[in-house]
Amino acid sequence: MPKLRLSQRTYAQKKAMWGFIYVLPWLLGFIFFFFVPLIASLRFSLSKVEANAKGIIVNFIGFENYIEALTVNTSFNRILTESITNMVVNVPMIVIFSLFLAVLLNQKFLGRTFARAIFFLPVILASGVIMALDSTSLVQAINDANEGGSISRGLGSFELAMMMEEAGVSESIINYLTGAVDRIYQIVSQSGVQILIFLAGIQTISPQLYEASKMEGATGYEAFWKITFPMVSPLILVNVIYTIIDSFSRNAMTDLIRETGFTSFNFGLSSAMAWIYFLAVSLILLISSYLISRKVFYYD
């Protein structure tokens, strides 16, 4: 069959060809910088890796590295449990806080652009070289002083707990809310991208829906639950998935994997830890996506 010249191709064929050309750089990067290291990591997790003058020697030992990580290593199970617990606590607070701030920042007020930039600033400060200077930053110094009690606070977690106990709030809710107060810097610093996503979604909602609801006598509270919340529910799923991955990508677990591999030079055990961690994160993502997607409202 003779090859068609570019001018003789149909629109669909040209579209498919240019689409493949544009995707090709990403595809090459995925194969050489992600897929190949992924397969190498799986191989290392099932092997004992040794380095000498002749190079790297890989000896297959089966699941011994996985057994060592789960039964012998004293830190892995504890840090993995703490990472999952922190994720369960932080993700709902970050998503709720982000949605609340996005609704507020969508209102018209003086200095709105400046306020949006302030809440996105922690995302910039937590990246690249600036993150490496975190130990000497002003924010870190403030946090250390605050933890030591040298900075006075208006309404701390203890006072908040006393007020809620007198109001008859259950102990589990009190512990959760006081934990949110203690984690306020962490919540704010990890909410910048989520606020931006929610803000973009809220701005796509037709103003006619709010005008019609206002003419029908709906309050702002009713407009939020009947219009805003259902319309941004697909973005809740997006932000939950993003927040879970973000919380798992920078914690004590990743530090342990890095130290095991590049400080202790036990690349087999480090790879096994990484794969167990990867499977745990994937399982949590599947469960979260399944539960939330059942409640998502898609507007046609």
Side-chain angles (χ1 to χ4, degrees):
M1 182 176 180
K3 295 182 179 180
L4 295 176
R5 295 181 180 178
L6 183 61
S7 59
Q8 296 176 335
R9 296 178 186 269
T10 63
Y11 174 74
Q13 291 174 335
K14 292 179 181 179
K15 187 177 179 181
M17 183 189 67
W18 285 109
F20 177 77
I21 292 174
Y22 285 127
V23 172
L24 186 60
W26 175 89
L27 186 61
L28 293 175
F30 174 81
I31 293 174
F32 292 106
F33 297 107
F34 183 81
F35 185 74
V36 173
L38 184 70
I39 299 302
S41 174
L42 180 60
R43 181 191 175 199
F44 289 166
S45 69
L46 299 171
S47 308
K48 183 178 180 180
V49 183
E50 297 178 349
N52 54 28
K54 297 180 180 179
I56 298 177
I57 301 175
V58 180
N59 297 316
F60 180 79
I61 58 174
F63 292 96
E64 291 185 14
N65 288 323
Y66 292 88
I67 296 173
E68 181 179 353
L70 294 172
T71 60
V72 178
N73 191 280
T74 58
S75 302
F76 180 76
N77 289 331
R78 175 180 56 82
I79 295 178
L80 179 62
T81 304
E82 290 176 355
S83 300
I84 295 175
T85 303
N86 290 333
M87 182 277 301
V88 172
V89 174
N90 289 342
V91 169
M93 291 191 294
I94 291 173
V95 173
I96 294 172
F97 176 80
S98 302
L99 179 58
F100 175 74
L101 258 296
V103 173
L104 291 182
L105 294 175
N106 190 52
Q107 308 298 320
K108 294 182 179 180
F109 58 89
L110 184 63
R112 181 175 62 173
T113 304
F114 179 71
R116 293 176 179 176
I118 289 177
F119 283 102
F120 194 74
L121 190 61
V123 178
I124 302 174
L125 295 178
S127 62
V129 179
I130 299 178
M131 188 175 182
L133 302 176
D134 182 66
S135 59
T136 59
S137 65
L138 177 61
V139 173
Q140 183 67 28
I142 293 174
N143 287 337
D144 294 340
N146 197 19
E147 291 176 0
S150 59
I151 296 180
S152 60
R153 291 175 289 184
L155 182 63
S157 58
F158 178 76
E159 292 83 358
L160 182 62
M162 294 292 294
M163 292 175 57
M164 289 189 292
E165 284 181 1
E166 295 177 356
V169 181
S170 64
E171 185 177 356
S172 59
I173 298 178
I174 292 175
N175 293 334
Y176 187 81
L177 293 178
T178 52
V181 174
D182 295 333
R183 298 166 184 255
I184 187 65
Y185 169 70
Q186 185 178 3
I187 294 172
V188 174
S189 63
Q190 296 181 4
S191 300
V193 175
Q194 293 88 330
I195 292 174
L196 193 65
I197 293 174
F198 276 133
L199 192 60
I202 292 173
Q203 291 179 346
T204 60
I205 301 175
S206 176
Q208 297 176 353
L209 295 175
Y210 293 103
E211 294 175 0
S213 64
K214 190 174 182 180
M215 293 178 61
E216 294 293 333
T219 62
Y221 177 83
E222 292 172 336
F224 172 80
W225 287 108
K226 299 296 183 181
I227 300 176
T228 306
F229 187 79
M231 296 293 283
V232 300
S233 60
L235 299 179
I236 294 176
L237 175 61
V238 172
N239 278 332
V240 167
I241 294 175
Y242 172 83
T243 309
I244 291 175
I245 296 175
D246 184 59
S247 64
F248 277 133
S249 63
R250 45 180 180 178
N251 53 24
M253 191 72 244
T254 56
D255 295 336
L256 175 63
I257 294 172
R258 188 183 303 110
E259 291 173 2
T260 304
F262 296 97
T263 302
S264 303
F265 297 103
N266 193 341
F267 295 105
L269 180 59
S270 175
S271 299
M273 289 180 176
W275 273 96
I276 295 173
Y277 191 47
F278 170 75
L279 293 175
V281 174
S282 300
L283 181 60
I284 293 173
L285 286 173
L286 287 174
I287 295 173
S288 303
S289 301
Y290 173 74
L291 295 177
I292 298 176
S293 61
R294 298 177 61 184
K295 303 295 182 180
V296 171
F297 171 78
Y298 293 100
Y299 177 76
D300 295 330

